[in-house]
Amino acid sequence: MKLLLDTHILLWAAAGDLPPAARRYIDDMSNTLLFSPASLWEVVIKNGLSRGDFNVDPVLLHDGLVSSGYEELPISARHTLFVASLPPLHKDPFDRILLSQAVSEGVPLLTADAALPRYHDSVIFAG
């Protein structure tokens, strides 16, 4: 199964500090793990704001994801336009584009944010 990982799950995976629920999905070799450029953008922005939970070099994160076999899910115009159809349950623009990508592509979003499963039944909370 293809899975789009949210930013926190990606950071925890890179640090080797995944919650058990997320680890089951990440360690399942039958899953194809996807990341979004939005997650890298979020790391760049929040790292620049000196947020301690985003203290990672985004270039090294990207290189590590690619070398570990993660696949990039590019952001398309369809993904960005789908954001307009989302109800205002959550204000984080990074999470909203990740959710939009996942729903538009028909892949589950593996997230650490307990608010996101309210959007769609394909969102998997693993935080």
Side-chain angles (χ1 to χ4, degrees):
M1 154 173 66
K2 289 185 177 184
L3 290 168
L4 179 60
L5 308 184
D6 83 356
T7 308
H8 277 99
I9 300 283
L10 287 173
L11 291 172
W12 293 338
D17 191 25
L18 284 164
R23 180 169 304 287
R24 285 192 296 278
Y25 289 98
I26 304 297
D27 290 347
D28 184 341
M29 298 304 288
S30 68
N31 289 334
T32 301
L33 305 176
L34 306 174
F35 70 93
S36 171
S39 290
L40 297 174
W41 179 37
E42 182 175 14
V43 169
V44 167
I45 296 295
K46 293 181 178 177
N47 189 341
L49 295 172
S50 299
R51 287 259 316 253
D53 53 340
F54 288 86
N55 188 19
V56 62
D57 181 323
V59 173
L60 293 177
L61 176 61
H62 174 263
D63 292 349
L65 292 171
V66 172
S67 68
S68 295
Y70 290 60
E71 296 179 13
E72 182 177 338
L73 178 59
I75 298 171
S76 71
R78 180 170 53 102
H79 299 148
T80 58
L81 294 171
F82 188 82
V83 171
S85 71
L86 297 175
L89 302 175
H90 194 276
K91 294 182 181 181
D92 185 313
F94 301 107
D95 286 340
R96 290 173 64 82
I97 192 66
L98 291 172
L99 177 67
S100 180
Q101 283 183 281
V103 173
S104 295
E105 296 298 325
V107 300
L109 174 64
L110 189 65
T111 184
D113 189 328
L116 291 182
R118 296 184 303 169
Y119 279 104
H120 199 270
D121 60 359
S122 68
V123 177
I124 301 167
F125 175 69

